[in-house]
Amino acid sequence: MKKYIAGLLLLLTIAACKKDNYDAPNVTFNGRITYQGEPIGVASQQVYFELWQTGFGKLTPINVNINQDGNFSALLFSGTYKMDLPVGQGPYLPASGHYGDTSTITITGSNTMNIEVLPYFMIRDDNYSLADSVITATFRLDSIVKDPALAKAISEVSLYESTLDLLDAQNNKVATTLSGANITGLQQITLTLKVPPDQYVSQSYIFARIGVRLAGIDDMLYAAVVKINL
């Protein structure tokens, strides 16, 4: 009886080892979220897209987080995946303009691929200057989604400043905001912000970034982070 139990335990141990002895993911999938080749800025690690792969037991999505400059990177198994942009993720629509339109990608070896989307707006010609401890940012907004059934209104625009280059609505030292109701035109928007005196003591440069919040959309659209010498 003892020999039987010992043999049974050995078989169960071998089976468990075989079950857990899968190779680790070893394929890198890199890319950037873009519109006509231009990167889409978001809050770092707050926006994601989904990859679905069958053949590994329960079907669950792999969430691929997006960095603030629009870049992403994921370590995966080789194979074929369905890629989906979930509803409410990002300040954009899928490139088709409709949610639920998945695309199929095959990943073998390291892959680099940009994912085209349809942003509601694009930040253009952003420019930053510093004088008398005041940052002045000017920019314009291009409305990309024209369909009234899909378009979104501008809730507010903001200028963020920090001593760190990780910069968004949650990660900043100082911010200033202009309500969408007070924007008189999209072709010339100006924001100003006073740099705190203590930042002149700690280092010789700061970082700034413009953000746009849209009505009914959680994730903001951002310009690229810029470095400003003090």
Side-chain angles (χ1 to χ4, degrees), residues 115-137:
I115 299 174
E116 280 285 303
V117 297
L118 186 66
Y120 295 100
F121 288 87
M122 287 292 285
I123 301 170
R124 307 285 197 192
D125 301 331
D126 51 313
N127 183 68
Y128 305 79
S129 61
L130 177 68
D132 298 325
S133 301
V134 174
I135 301 173
T136 299

Side-chain angles (χ1 to χ4, degrees), residues 56-67:
F56 287 89
K58 185 180 179 181
L59 183 62
T60 57
I62 300 168
N63 293 341
V64 180
N65 292 316
I66 303 167
N67 296 325

